[in-house]
Amino acid sequence: MKIAITTADSQHLAMDTGLQTDLLDNIEAGIIVLDAAVTILGWNHWMTQHTGLLKPVVLNRSFLDVFQNITTQRISQCITTCLRFGHSAILSTALNPFPLPLFEPKRLAQSPNAPGERIHQSITIKPLLDSKGIRHCVLQILDVTPAYQRERLLREQSEKANTSRIEAEKASKIKSEFTSMVSHELRTPLTAIQGALKLISGGVITDAPETIASLLDIAYRNTDRLLLLINDLLDVHKIEAGKFHYDYRRCEMLELLKQALSANKPYADKYAVHFVLSPLACSAVVDIDLNRIQQVVTNLLSNAAKFSPPASDIIIDCQVRNTDLVVSISDKGTGVPLEFRERIFERFAQADASNTRRSGGTGLGLCISREIITQHRGKMWFESEPGHGASFYFSLPLAAVNLD
Amino acid sequence: MGTAAAALSEMVQEDISLSVPALSFFSKVNVARYIAEKSHDQMTGVSQSFNGLISGDAILLFPEQNSLEIVRLLLKESVPLEVLSEMEQEAFSEIGNILLNAGLSSLANFLQTDLTSGLPVYLTGSSLDIMNRATIIGNESSVVLFVRVDFGIATHAIGGYVVYMMNINSINELTKNVDIYLRGLNLT
């Protein structure tokens, strides 16, 4: 076969077969030439390197015989269309993963039976005419594995950068909300304390001991509120700094719950609700930091009381489930709004601003409580439907003595 | 178009529909104006030469946002970048290749002749810019065959255009055959 090459001054030079073969074998791409019957007429060294198939083995054989299982694939359809209508086609690596069984040459040479994964391929199919004008087609195949891997890496890095940016924006928003919340929550009780004490010290109130007592009570309750906020902030700070220490002791959970209900009764009275220990609550021993778990129970009881209608019951239960003790606190309040569910355990999360104003709270209680339970190798979760109350649960591993 | 839709459907395992709601002869400038009126400034295109009884360049044009949407839907990429990567450009070229070859088959059937095609070339820019950058063969005439294409993937409907740019002889050949066809239908 001879190919005519035209020089600048129109002299035709014939390239001999050896040079043609050498040319094709030095191209850094796979070249396959097919006739109208899809018989392989041309096959270069790149193809041998990437398939392990020698030229004499494949020449004059059907392409569909050499590469079986591709008759229903796009590459086969493109070859047919090219030979019939002269349409060129491209098979991108993204839409056609590994159309042909081609492998990395070194791995194929070392392990012909286990050459690893196929290379990523980019294939073009173009019509060719021979000297008689009969249509053939040529497939050119490129190994695009390095480019593919580079792009995947770039995409992953881009996604990570995007995630970091979103998290940074979220953190910035939380900090900003925190600053706003802290300013309000600190200012409000301080204003009340200042106002009450100013009246007393200014001698405005002279002969009304009940009024003085009431003002002092206002001042006291607000210092209490301030202390709670400061304590919560310190707890969060210790958690973040890894300095939140636990003093584990063996405790009987039912007894702890009874003590917590008793200690928090004034809270129930304040909101006119009833804390009720379930008659089915069972007893079990756990290894816990007593003060921290009481902190958790207090937090859950106070939340339930705040969001419950007056005269309603808040049920506290305690059950053994497999090797865990599960405590639940269920109220009949407004329930957890759908839009708040995802972030209820996050720092400074509040259902909305109006609830903060009405119900008080720092937005840190549930975050701290969950951290305490997690450190005790337990879990905290909730179930709620808006308008139908909420049940908060936490689990703690049973002490070994229960399991004997 | 049915064959093209079936080919794409099988490739990406999604229901794909293709329809051609409108087809007309326009000047190049009016095509650019029409597309600009749809507020499509930045376009993504795939250009393919064709040869035979008629010759020229077939150019598939999508507004850039639509081309990103098509690639994202077909490749099922979860986080699309704002511009197409090299692999995605190649994939878009293949999509264009399938659609343009289908269109050329329709033209070839209509003319009862063979039309061969070259490999697709990826282009970006304004629609006029892309049309001007097509090969010289197709630039002789200012008249183009303008086709609107609607591309449907699952519940998404994405609109694009195909422009056939031809030399004077090819335009004359095509219009001659259209006249014959219309006379055959007693519409002229």
Side-chain angles (χ1 to χ4, degrees):
Chain A
M1 184 168 62
K2 289 189 177 182
I3 298 173
I5 298 176
T6 307
T7 62
D9 60 0
S10 299
Q11 276 187 320
H12 290 265
L13 298 176
M15 191 189 284
D16 69 24
T17 312
L19 194 55
Q20 291 163 34
T21 306
D22 211 30
L23 169 69
L24 288 177
D25 282 343
N26 276 283
I27 290 174
E28 285 299 319
I31 301 286
I32 306 174
V33 178
L34 304 175
D35 70 4
V38 207
T39 306
I40 298 174
L41 300 185
W43 180 272
N44 71 343
H45 182 58
W46 189 101
M47 285 305 303
T48 296
Q49 283 182 312
H50 289 76
T51 58
L53 299 171
L54 297 170
K55 193 193 288 190
V57 171
V58 299
L59 278 186
N60 298 315
R61 277 177 67 189
S62 167
F63 180 82
L64 300 174
D65 187 36
V66 172
F67 295 116
Q68 292 172 4
N69 304 320
I70 64 158
T71 41
T72 52
Q73 290 181 28
R74 176 159 152 73
I75 186 170
S76 172
Q77 289 153 10
C78 288
I79 289 169
T80 305
T81 312
C82 182
L83 287 167
R84 254 182 88 185
F85 302 114
H87 287 177
S88 299
I90 179 171
L91 278 78
S92 63
T93 193
L95 290 170
N96 305 278
F98 323 115
L100 294 175
L102 305 175
F103 304 94
E104 204 277 316
K106 278 188 190 148
R107 290 184 71 175
L108 186 59
Q110 282 165 4
S111 316
N113 293 328
E117 288 177 358
R118 295 185 182 189
I119 58 169
H120 288 273
Q121 304 147 39
S122 172
I123 302 177
T124 57
I125 302 171
K126 289 185 72 173
L128 283 181
L129 292 177
D130 69 7
S131 53
K132 294 176 188 150
I134 297 174
R135 193 175 287 140
H136 293 56
C137 80
V138 60
L139 281 71
Q140 177 180 278
I141 303 150
L142 294 173
D143 178 3
V144 294
T145 308
Y148 179 83
Q149 287 170 346
R150 264 199 309 274
E151 274 203 20
R152 292 313 313 175
L153 192 60
L154 268 173
R155 179 173 287 280
E156 277 164 27
Q157 285 172 346
S158 171
E159 281 171 15
K160 270 190 199 154
N162 201 40
T163 306
S164 298
R165 181 185 58 82
I166 290 169
E167 278 172 9
E169 279 172 7
K170 197 173 157 189
S172 172
K173 189 176 171 218
I174 287 174
K175 274 197 180 144
S176 175
E177 282 170 358
F178 170 61
T179 306
S180 164
M181 184 273 293
V182 166
S183 305
H184 170 78
E185 292 297 332
L186 286 175
R187 201 181 304 130
T188 306
L190 278 171
T191 306
I193 294 166
Q194 191 186 45
L197 295 175
K198 195 175 175 182
L199 283 172
I200 298 168
S201 69
V204 173
I205 315 294
T206 52
D207 55 357
E210 301 87 7
T211 310
I212 292 173
S214 169
L215 288 171
L216 284 171
D217 183 56
I218 290 170
Y220 173 74
R221 278 189 287 109
N222 279 282
T223 53
D224 212 36
R225 191 172 156 189
L226 269 176
L227 272 170
L228 273 173
L229 173 61
I230 289 164
N231 283 340
D232 274 356
L233 286 171
L234 283 172
D235 277 351
V236 168
H237 174 69
K238 278 187 217 165
I239 287 168
E240 284 182 350
K243 290 179 183 170
F244 208 63
H245 294 298
Y246 296 89
D247 180 18
Y248 292 95
R249 304 274 167 93
R250 189 146 288 180
C251 299
E252 208 283 311
M253 194 65 193
L254 199 55
E255 201 47 48
L256 181 151
L257 288 175
K258 286 178 184 168
Q259 286 172 12
L261 292 182
S262 176
N264 284 284
K265 191 171 180 309
Y267 217 85
D269 293 341
K270 178 182 171 185
Y271 288 96
V273 296
H274 310 116
F275 290 149
V276 178
L277 184 63
S278 166
L280 301 172
C282 64
S283 175
V285 171
V286 285
D287 292 323
I288 54 171
D289 181 319
L290 183 69
N291 289 332
R292 294 297 179 199
I293 297 300
Q294 278 182 338
Q295 184 179 349
V296 170
V297 174
T298 299
N299 173 241
L300 295 179
L301 286 174
S302 68
N303 283 347
K306 269 185 234 169
F307 294 102
S308 286
S312 63
D313 288 343
I314 292 164
I315 312 293
I316 296 91
D317 198 3
C318 179
Q319 298 294 330
V320 170
R321 285 191 205 166
N322 298 319
T323 54
D324 287 332
L325 185 70
V326 177
V327 174
S328 63
I329 293 168
S330 305
D331 65 68
K332 294 186 180 68
T334 51
V336 179
L338 286 171
E339 59 275 13
F340 185 52
R341 293 169 78 95
E342 293 294 315
R343 49 190 188 92
I344 193 171
F345 290 110
E346 289 176 10
R347 287 184 301 157
F348 318 124
Q350 296 268 328
D352 65 10
S354 64
N355 275 345
T356 309
R357 307 289 188 272
R358 176 166 56 83
S359 316
T362 59
L364 293 169
L366 280 175
C367 169
I368 294 168
S369 295
R370 190 172 73 160
E371 176 64 24
I372 291 169
I373 297 299
T374 304
Q375 289 298 323
H376 280 75
R377 293 179 298 120
K379 288 194 173 96
M380 181 172 261
W381 69 99
F382 72 95
E383 289 167 4
S384 174
E385 286 207 29
H388 295 283
S391 292
F392 277 79
Y393 302 84
F394 65 87
S395 65
L396 295 165
L398 290 166
V401 68
N402 293 298
L403 306 172
D404 288 340
Chain B
M1 282 298 163
T3 316
L8 285 169
S9 272
E10 200 179 320
M11 243 169 25
V12 300
Q13 300 298 305
E14 286 276 7
D15 284 333
I16 291 178
S17 64
L18 287 169
S19 61
V20 179
L23 180 152
S24 51
F25 286 99
F26 257 168
S27 73
K28 217 167 40 175
V29 168
N30 278 341
V31 164
R33 203 170 284 153
Y34 174 86
I35 292 174
E37 271 166 18
K38 307 284 178 193
S39 306
H40 298 152
D41 298 324
Q42 193 67 5
M43 305 293 281
T44 306
V46 175
S47 168
Q48 228 172 244
S49 63
F50 59 90
N51 284 290
L53 182 66
I54 58 173
S55 303
D57 298 280
I59 309 171
L60 175 71
L61 289 164
F62 276 102
E64 190 183 46
Q65 221 24 62
N66 289 6
S67 65
L68 293 173
E69 185 72 13
I70 287 170
V71 169
R72 191 178 68 82
L73 286 167
L74 291 184
L75 297 185
K76 298 180 175 63
E77 295 285 351
S78 58
V79 181
L81 300 174
E82 286 175 7
V83 292
L84 292 180
S85 68
E86 210 176 302
M87 296 280 140
E88 287 159 349
Q89 287 177 15
E90 195 194 30
F92 189 74
S93 297
E94 181 174 356
I95 295 162
N97 174 237
I98 292 171
L99 293 176
L100 291 174
N101 278 348
L104 283 174
S105 293
S106 299
L107 262 180
N109 281 343
F110 174 72
L111 294 169
Q112 294 179 4
T113 184
D114 270 352
L115 291 175
T116 62
S117 68
L119 286 173
V121 175
Y122 179 86
L123 297 161
T124 58
S126 70
S127 54
L128 194 58
D129 207 20
I130 290 174
M131 284 189 285
N132 285 337
R133 273 152 61 197
T135 62
I136 294 169
I137 292 171
N139 253 339
E140 286 177 13
S141 171
S142 63
V143 176
V144 301
L145 177 59
F146 179 60
V147 181
R148 268 186 39 217
V149 177
D150 282 335
F151 196 93
I153 307 175
T155 55
H156 297 81
I158 300 171
Y161 315 95
V162 179
V163 175
Y164 292 90
M165 299 180 57
M166 292 167 269
N167 57 29
I168 306 278
N169 291 339
S170 296
I171 288 278
N172 289 339
E173 186 66 40
L174 189 58
T175 48
K176 183 181 87 184
N177 278 275
V178 169
D179 278 340
I180 293 169
Y181 175 76
L182 291 175
R183 257 185 264 128
L185 295 176
N186 291 318
L187 291 175
T188 59

